[in-house]
Each structure stands twice: as structure tokens, then as C-alpha cells.
Amino acid sequence: MTEVTVRRASVDDAAGIGRVQVQGWHEAYTGRMPQAILDRLDVGRSTNAWRRVLAGVVAGDESDIWVAERAHTIVGFASSGACRDEDATPGRRELFAMYVLAEHYGTGVGQALVDAAIGDAAASLWMLEDNPRARAFYRRNGFEPDGHVKDDDRWGEPVREVRLIRRGGAGESPDALDPVPRGT
């Protein structure tokens, strides 16, 4: 397999990101979330949404977006920025999204994206509760559940998510990681 290249995304990458997002959701979430959500996904809509984000049209979006390419084809992407959680400590990053096509699992693409998007900073992320492969990947990167859960209903049906947090180079205090479960 060819070497992976990770770089900052540009507006020209919207179609590749949209394709990876939709395909990645189907590959990772089929059987783990309501099929109706997956059936509503559309590459065209996803592409248009990413085009707006990458063009800076979406108000309040200050994310860093990275793409991973193999043979000049986008095979994964990650988006990160300042943590949006109400209880975030100063300097904590948040991994907003990361998707890698299944054929590239275990090849270093995901690791390269995490390294680019958040490095070794203190960080958090929200992930589908029932996703053991992702949970194992994030555990290898120092993330652990902190007890916070939520039902995300942005997709028209509730999806249970858990928050994972890691300490990093920014040096979050241990008190910042005490679990204070947030109900649904």
C-alpha cells in the first residue's frame, strides 16, 4: 500500500471528505445505530456542508480540518478545535470528527490524522457508545471515558454517545477529569 500523506484540507477537498464521511458512517455504524439515519445520508449534501465549512461560511466554526491521502485519493479526515463542552478546561482540544475508510483500518491512517489534528494535547471527543474498534483505538491514544453520556438527536433519532478525555501536554489537572455524569 502506498504511503499516507496528511495535510490541511482545502475547499477543493469537500467532495472527498463528503464521500469518506458517508461511506465511513456506513462502514462503522451499520448495526450500531438506527439504519434510518444511515439511509438518509447523502454524499451531495455532505459535500455541500463541508464546502461551506471549508470556505469559512459556517458561522462559529473554527475547526482545523485534515485529510489523509493515499495515491492522491482522500481515505480519511479529521476535524478538531477548541473544546466546546461547558466544563472544558482552558486549552483542551476536541476531536470533532475522524473517519477512515475501512480498507485503511490498521494502516496508520487514523494515527496520522489524530497526530495532525490534536497532537499530544489534552483533548476530548464524543463517540458512539457502541463502537469497540474506535474505543480501542482511542484508548491506545490515552483516551478514557469520563462518565459523561448524552443522547445526540441531531440526526432525527437519538444516538447514545460517551465522552472520552485524555490528559496531554497542556497538563489538565486531575480534577478536570473527575467523572460527573451528565444525564440525557
Side-chain angles (χ1 to χ4, degrees), residues 23-36:
Q23 184 177 336
W25 272 54
H26 281 280
E27 292 172 346
Y29 299 149
T30 296
R32 299 188 185 287
M33 71 167 29
Q35 187 62 40

Side-chain angles (χ1 to χ4, degrees), residues 113-168:
L113 285 166
V114 166
D115 292 346
I118 58 174
D120 66 351
S124 63
L125 60 94
W126 288 93
M127 62 169 283
L128 187 67
E129 183 176 49
D130 178 25
N131 194 342
R133 181 179 186 83
R135 177 94 48 127
F137 173 80
Y138 291 125
R139 183 175 295 120
R140 285 191 306 274
N141 278 276
F143 287 89
E144 292 295 334
D146 73 346
H148 286 73
V149 298
K150 68 179 178 180
D151 285 326
D152 185 346
D153 59 4
R154 289 180 291 171
W155 318 109
E157 298 182 48
V159 174
R160 177 58 57 114
E161 295 180 343
V162 297
R163 185 170 74 179
L164 306 182
I165 291 185
R166 78 161 183 208
R167 292 185 183 102

